[in-house]
Amino acid sequence: MISSALRALSQIFQPELRAIFWKTLGYTLALLLLVWLALNGAVAWFVALPYPWLDTALSILTGIGVIFVLGFLVAPVTAVIAGLLQDDIAEVVERSDYPADPPGRALPLAQAVPQAIKFTGIVILGNLLALFLLLVPGVNLVAFLLVNGYLLGREFFEFAAMRFRAPEEAKAFRRAHRGTVFLAGLAIAGFLAIPLLNLLTPIFATVMMVHLNKRLTYRSPVPLGG
């Protein structure tokens, strides 16, 4: 797991992934900007105050609230971006690091769209749970890491595995290595917790799980599926 994480960190800014890096950054910032504009516009539209000083106070409070909301939305937005770019990222890694292996297969659109929707929904629900736990002193960061470690580890690993296995086989393969996958998910959650750097989470997580899937495949007796 550690070697996969270190290899992912070393590859994020390689030339082959640079175009994907700019796409990831652009899509993520664009989505967060749209959310920011929508939230500010909603407050300005629905709340009319009689005094200028109240407007100023509301603007300040709204700005603080929007920053908090955007921080919460980084994980779900990451899930959306991952669904758009994961196959492109995986293809680059497989081609550069495993040229002798058979290439993985991109998920069919009919399978990829429900998978991305499910992934995004799971991450949103998980982060809502973690958000509620912010009210409990001392457990908020732990909750964030555990919830996102499990969810992100599971979904990113299963994606990497499904490029070479049928969905049920990929799930079984993940369950067979659940401890390693969870530790890798904690690394992704830690990456996600770092401001600004977390915008690169889709690249880091996908690259890491492609490497982890390959390493576990080489060690595992579980055969590749159709």
Side-chain angles (χ1 to χ4, degrees):
M1 188 279 293
I2 295 175
S3 61
S4 297
L6 293 176
R7 180 60 180 152
L9 285 172
S10 71
Q11 285 186 287
I12 288 177
F13 298 105
Q14 283 188 352
E16 295 85 354
L17 290 172
R18 199 166 293 153
I20 298 175
F21 159 70
W22 289 115
K23 284 183 184 179
T24 299
L25 189 61
Y27 290 156
T28 302
L29 290 177
L31 280 173
L32 292 176
L33 177 62
L34 286 175
V35 171
W36 181 80
L37 291 173
L39 290 174
N40 277 281
V43 172
W45 178 265
F46 289 108
V47 180
L49 297 174
Y51 303 108
W53 68 269
L54 283 177
D55 276 329
T56 301
L58 179 63
S59 296
I60 294 172
L61 291 175
T62 300
I64 295 172
V66 167
I67 290 172
F68 180 78
V69 170
L70 291 181
F72 164 74
L73 287 176
V74 167
V77 168
T78 293
V80 175
I81 302 304
L84 295 173
L85 299 175
Q86 272 185 304
D87 278 310
D88 293 341
I89 299 167
E91 286 173 8
V92 169
V93 177
E94 291 165 6
R95 187 170 59 248
S96 65
D97 284 51
Y98 309 97
D101 291 357
R105 296 165 300 176
L107 295 181
L109 188 62
Q111 185 179 338
V113 172
Q115 182 77 11
I117 293 173
K118 184 194 80 167
F119 185 18
T120 303
I122 287 172
V123 172
I124 290 174
L125 289 175
N127 279 273
L128 282 173
L129 174 61
L131 184 63
F132 289 137
L133 290 174
L134 287 173
L135 301 175
V136 183
V139 303
N140 45 2
L141 179 59
V142 173
F144 177 88
L145 291 175
L146 291 178
V147 169
N148 282 291
Y150 173 73
L151 294 174
L152 296 176
R154 185 183 73 177
E155 297 301 326
F156 275 101
F157 183 81
E158 287 185 4
F159 160 79
M162 280 192 292
R163 286 180 57 80
F164 299 92
R165 294 174 169 82
E168 289 308 313
E169 292 174 337
K171 293 178 189 298
F173 189 58
R174 190 265 305 169
R175 287 193 293 267
H177 301 282
R178 58 171 62 89
T180 302
V181 172
F182 177 66
L183 290 176
L186 288 179
I188 296 172
F191 193 94
L192 186 65
I194 303 173
L196 298 181
L197 193 62
N198 57 12
L199 298 175
L200 296 172
T201 302
I203 295 179
F204 171 75
T206 302
V207 174
M208 179 181 178
M209 289 307 194
V210 167
H211 287 304
L212 187 62
N213 175 64
K214 285 288 187 179
R215 286 176 166 84
L216 293 177
T217 297
Y218 296 152
R219 286 166 34 191
S220 173
V222 179
L224 295 179

